[in-house]
Amino acid sequence: MARRLSGLPRRQRLIGLWLLLSGVSIFGGATFALWLDSLFHPEGLARVVLWLGCFSGGGTIFLVGLLLERQLFTPLRHLQVQLARLVANPDAREDYPPEGWLRGLGPDLVRVREAWRTDRGRLATAHAEGARSAARIRQELETLLQVLDTPLLLCDHHRRVLLFNQAAEALFEGHHGLGLGKRLETLLPASSLQDALAQLPADGAPREVLVPSDERWLRAVLRRVPSSNGETLLTLTDTTAAWTSEMGARAELLDSLPRLRRHTASLASAADALTSLGDAAGDMRQRLEAVIDEESQSLGQDIEQLGQLVERMQHEGERLVPLWSNDLWEALNERGGDAACRVVPIGMPAWVKGDATALLVLLGSLLAELRGHAGHQELEGEICLGNRRVYLDLVWRGAPLGEGQLAEWQQVRLEDLPLAPRVADVLRQHASDVWSLADADGEHARLRLPLPATERVGAPRPRTPPRPEFHDFGIADLPAPDAELAARPLRSLEVVAFDTETTGLELRRGDTVISVGACRVVNARLLASDIFDVRVDPGRPIPPASTAIHGITDDDVAGAPPLPVVLPRFRDYVGDAVILAHNAAFDLLALQPPGAGVALDMPVLDTLLISRALDASLDGHDLDSLADRYGLSFPPGTRHTALGDARVTAELWLALLPRLEARGIETLEQALALQTSALDKEDACAS
């Protein structure tokens, strides 16, 4: 157990002791003066001297205490704050220069600070060239990794994620198992993958394994990185469509081939036998002709089925992907470049399924045909929903196209596509056709192209920028995940800082959570984009007094999941991490109401208690006071938001780390013992 840190007594205790001694002395002096006055009955100057002499002790104590408070104790506390800032950040602002009787330390403190900064500057200068070159190489490699379309994961020998790229982030969108320092088995728990990783050769030879991930099948190529400390590179490919095709239409196609061979052999044998019979054996001839007729019909049916299977393979092909209609129109306009014949989207956009490249070339050819028919005018593009189909319509003012024109156009070859297929071939690939019809207003006509529909609804999500932190090779140097947690160094802990917003402060009387926010610290590094930020439906109105603090209204939580749904998600996000909060008792009580069913039984660090233990003589251990003390800032609009307060709590933890280490507190066990020593319920306050 770590002993409670010694330091200046609390200011309240000093002031109380000072006032008590002064009061006792003054009261005693007054009592003594009254006794002497009644005993000797002095008059004039003697009486004044008597009373002054009796009050001199208490007055002296009062004046000396006031002098010490202003000239010594207050400067000492200011010096303590300034030194705490310097330990946390050598470049912290200097709000408290030495004052009072410590004023003479000013030049020395400035000299120490400047020498510290000078040494840091010299060290930075010594490594400038190497760092500049390394930064350039790192930037180029990071850019290369992020633009690769192949999802990549790099794991250490403990199977913790050291690196991932944006393609991997898109592949596992919304999965809390992806993140720096997280275990690979939480992302891909398949036992086949774990077995393959355990048997990888050290020479970098690849191994392939098919891994299930939710409702998808991923092909993983595994390679041990040569001359490394057991790191493994995984490249992933979503093979769901190809696997479905292999198990679906292609499998049926393979099954149909023996039947076709059997029918062909039967027809050939019957034809040879019929030829050898000549005009004799009329009964045998009839039977052979019946066999030929039967086999011909079966062969025709199988060939028809074969054609349908080929069409299914085309429709199930990986080239037919979901396309957002507005993106299709925009790409078509950019491809055409002719402002006089642009397509203006109208109506509601929708998803269609198609080969984007082939559709763009086909529509470009169609626009060229329409330009000769309708003249140089803007066309309108409209998406109409049908029964299992989506109709892509091009609308213009004028008469419909004739059947002859459409038939002629379908024979045009699209030279911009490989093998120059005909328009009819691309239409067949999409199981589509094309026709033209007049609108009901008698002024407009349209050309209609039916395309396969998709179950996807809603506009596409905006493309999120890549995470600023997607690699950290220092994770490989951390202790093994199964190492004793209590003895693990503080800097190697995986920490999840969290905060909650509630309908009120009376959790035992019905107040509950309306927002949970959390962020992750890995390898003493705050991962700004690895976050958990969820609104919660409290099942009751939010009082206006609470809304005035955190800004969350009933409309903001309408449709949000309830707490029993959010808690398992939050527990999955925490994983094996230690949790951190400011005044953790309140937030833990909020997240674990009676009957919650989800236990947060991991170790808990509390920055409120740690700060009180480090600076027991200082006032103000609430989050605002500590943020000001350590130069931490709340971005506009983030104070009293769950995620905003969680991020500042994480930054506060990183600022407290060097101060803990300076006092020999380097392990989780020591930090927990320190905060236990500071537990004082009457001083606890909400953040």
Side-chain angles (χ1 to χ4, degrees):
M1 295 289 289
R3 66 183 184 277
R4 189 178 180 94
L5 297 176
S6 60
L8 286 174
R10 288 181 178 273
R11 183 171 181 268
Q12 296 92 329
R13 294 177 182 175
L14 281 176
I15 293 177
L17 180 61
W18 165 52
L19 293 177
L20 177 63
L21 290 176
S22 300
V24 170
S25 298
I26 292 174
F27 179 77
T31 304
F32 188 60
L34 285 173
W35 179 70
L36 290 177
D37 188 71
S38 64
L39 184 63
F40 297 106
H41 302 289
E43 296 181 358
L45 181 61
R47 189 176 189 185
V48 172
V49 171
L50 173 66
W51 280 90
L52 287 177
C54 291
F55 279 107
S56 63
T60 300
I61 293 176
F62 180 81
L63 292 175
V64 169
L66 184 63
L67 181 66
L68 288 174
E69 172 64 21
R70 292 187 176 182
Q71 297 296 316
L72 180 61
F73 293 120
T74 296
L76 280 175
R77 289 188 180 86
H78 290 171
L79 180 63
Q80 184 179 2
V81 171
Q82 193 61 44
L83 287 176
R85 285 181 178 174
L86 286 175
V87 172
N89 178 16
D91 297 318
R93 68 183 189 272
E94 188 173 1
D95 289 343
Y96 300 114
E99 53 191 357
W101 292 343
L102 303 182
R103 193 183 305 274
L105 295 178
D108 296 330
L109 187 60
V110 171
R111 181 65 180 271
V112 169
R113 181 171 183 164
E114 293 302 325
W116 192 353
R117 289 177 174 175
T118 301
D119 291 342
R120 292 173 68 243
R122 289 174 179 172
L123 184 63
T125 302
H127 292 84
E129 290 300 323
R132 197 176 298 120
S133 176
R136 180 179 59 81
I137 295 173
R138 184 184 68 182
Q139 183 178 7
E140 292 178 356
L141 289 176
E142 287 180 354
T143 303
L144 177 63
L145 285 171
Q146 292 292 55
V147 301
L148 281 177
D149 291 333
T150 301
L152 298 176
L153 296 174
L154 182 67
C155 303
D156 68 356
H157 62 290
H158 294 302
R159 300 176 188 174
R160 294 177 296 208
V161 176
L162 305 178
L163 174 149
F164 59 89
N165 64 346
Q166 191 175 9
E169 187 175 3
L171 181 64
F172 296 105
E173 183 179 7
H175 199 304
H176 290 310
L178 180 66
L180 295 180
K182 296 185 179 180
R183 303 290 295 275
L184 183 62
E185 49 263 36
T186 63
L187 185 65
L188 296 170
S191 57
S192 58
L193 177 62
Q194 311 307 320
D195 294 340
L197 287 169
Q199 300 173 12
L200 275 181
D203 60 358
R207 294 290 186 271
E208 292 189 13
V209 61
L210 199 62
V211 182
S213 176
D214 296 329
E215 298 179 354
R216 298 174 299 183
W217 285 95
L218 305 180
R219 184 171 67 92
V221 179
L222 318 176
R223 290 182 176 87
R224 190 81 71 199
V225 179
S227 303
S228 69
N229 189 25
E231 280 85 4
T232 304
L233 179 67
L234 294 84
T235 56
L236 304 169
T237 307
D238 189 349
T239 61
T240 306
W243 186 253
T244 302
S245 180
E246 290 285 351
M247 297 296 102
R250 295 187 184 183
E252 293 183 31
L253 179 61
L254 292 175
D255 290 341
S256 67
L257 290 178
R259 296 199 304 270
L260 291 176
R261 294 191 184 102
R262 185 172 62 251
H263 293 321
T264 304
S266 298
L267 284 173
S269 300
D272 291 341
L274 188 62
T275 302
S276 63
L277 285 176
D279 296 331
D283 184 55
M284 179 64 68
R285 175 182 291 275
Q286 290 179 356
R287 281 188 287 174
L288 289 175
E289 288 177 348
V291 169
I292 292 175
D293 181 62
E294 181 181 353
E295 292 294 332
S296 298
Q297 292 181 7
S298 299
L299 182 61
Q301 293 174 356
D302 285 344
I303 290 176
E304 177 66 23
Q305 183 181 5
L306 181 63
Q308 295 175 357
L309 288 174
V310 171
E311 290 184 359
R312 278 181 55 193
M313 288 179 60
Q314 287 182 317
H315 302 159
E316 294 175 357
E318 297 180 29
R319 298 184 64 86
L320 298 186
V321 297
L323 304 172
W324 184 241
S325 61
N326 280 356
D327 293 340
L328 188 64
W329 298 130
E330 182 179 354
L332 181 62
N333 289 331
E334 291 178 355
R335 179 182 177 88
D338 187 356
C341 192
R342 297 178 60 82
V343 177
V344 179
I346 62 173
M348 294 295 294
W351 290 95
V352 300
K353 195 173 183 181
D355 182 341
T357 304
L359 278 180
L360 286 175
V361 175
L362 182 144
L363 291 173
S365 171
L366 180 57
L367 287 178
E369 180 75 17
L370 291 176
R371 191 178 297 115
H373 175 78
H376 290 272
Q377 60 170 298
E378 281 190 346
L379 280 73
E380 295 176 340
E382 186 176 12
I383 299 295
C384 302
L385 301 181
N387 185 18
R388 297 183 181 180
R389 307 290 283 175
V390 175
Y391 297 108
L392 187 149
D393 291 355
L394 289 172
V395 185
W396 67 92
R397 183 180 295 275
L401 287 172
E403 291 296 330
Q405 290 176 280
L406 291 176
E408 182 179 349
W409 172 66
Q410 292 189 44
Q411 302 306 313
V412 172
R413 292 199 170 272
L414 304 175
E415 301 293 342
D416 291 343
L417 293 177
L419 305 178
R422 298 173 303 160
V423 170
D425 298 327
V426 176
L427 292 175
R428 190 179 302 111
Q429 177 191 5
H430 293 80
S432 182
D433 197 358
V434 62
W435 63 87
S436 184
L437 64 156
D439 278 5
D441 61 5
E443 298 181 3
H444 293 82
R446 64 181 61 212
L447 186 128
R448 173 158 289 180
L449 182 69
L451 293 174
T454 178
E455 296 179 358
R456 190 170 177 180
V457 295
R461 294 180 180 179
R463 185 177 179 86
T464 56
R467 296 195 191 188
E469 312 95 352
F470 64 92
H471 64 83
D472 188 348
F473 298 104
I475 293 173
D477 300 326
L478 297 179
D482 56 356
E484 185 182 358
L485 189 60
R488 196 172 298 178
L490 295 177
R491 287 190 176 271
S492 69
L493 289 176
E494 181 183 2
V495 177
V496 168
F498 79 100
D499 187 67
T500 62
E501 298 298 335
T502 62
T503 57
L505 300 179
E506 297 183 358
L507 298 177
R508 301 188 188 277
R509 296 185 179 180
D511 282 321
T512 185
V513 176
I514 55 176
S515 177
V516 181
C519 57
R520 193 176 300 273
V521 175
V522 175
N523 208 15
R525 178 187 183 192
L526 174 58
L527 305 181
S529 59
D530 192 341
I531 63 171
F532 184 90
D533 188 17
V534 177
R535 296 281 174 83
V536 181
D537 184 357
R540 54 171 291 181
I542 301 175
S546 297
T547 298
I549 296 175
H550 46 60
I552 300 177
T553 65
D554 291 331
D555 291 339
D556 294 328
V557 297
L563 188 59
V565 174
V566 173
L567 278 180
R569 298 180 189 173
F570 178 68
R571 184 64 185 85
D572 291 341
Y573 175 80
V574 173
D576 298 327
V578 173
I579 57 177
L580 171 80
H582 193 79
N583 190 25
F586 178 85
D587 296 296
L588 287 175
L589 181 61
L591 287 181
Q592 298 186 102
V598 177
L600 300 177
D601 51 2
M602 66 287 295
V604 180
L605 291 168
D606 191 334
T607 49
L608 170 65
L609 297 178
I610 293 174
S611 176
R612 288 185 64 253
L614 289 175
D615 299 311
S617 61
L618 296 180
D619 296 330
H621 297 284
D622 58 280
L623 197 56
D624 287 306
S625 298
L626 292 176
D628 179 70
R629 184 176 302 166
Y630 290 99
L632 311 176
S633 61
F634 294 91
T638 62
R639 181 62 177 115
H640 291 299
T641 66
L643 181 58
D645 288 356
R647 278 178 167 159
V648 173
T649 301
E651 293 176 359
L652 176 59
W653 163 251
L654 296 177
L656 292 172
L657 266 181
R659 299 198 62 207
L660 292 171
E661 293 169 342
R663 288 155 175 78
I665 300 170
E666 298 181 346
T667 66
L668 175 61
E669 182 179 22
Q670 293 171 325
L672 293 175
L674 173 68
Q675 76 177 24
T676 301
S677 71
L679 186 61
D680 188 345
K681 294 183 179 180
E682 66 181 11
D683 288 334
C685 57
S687 63

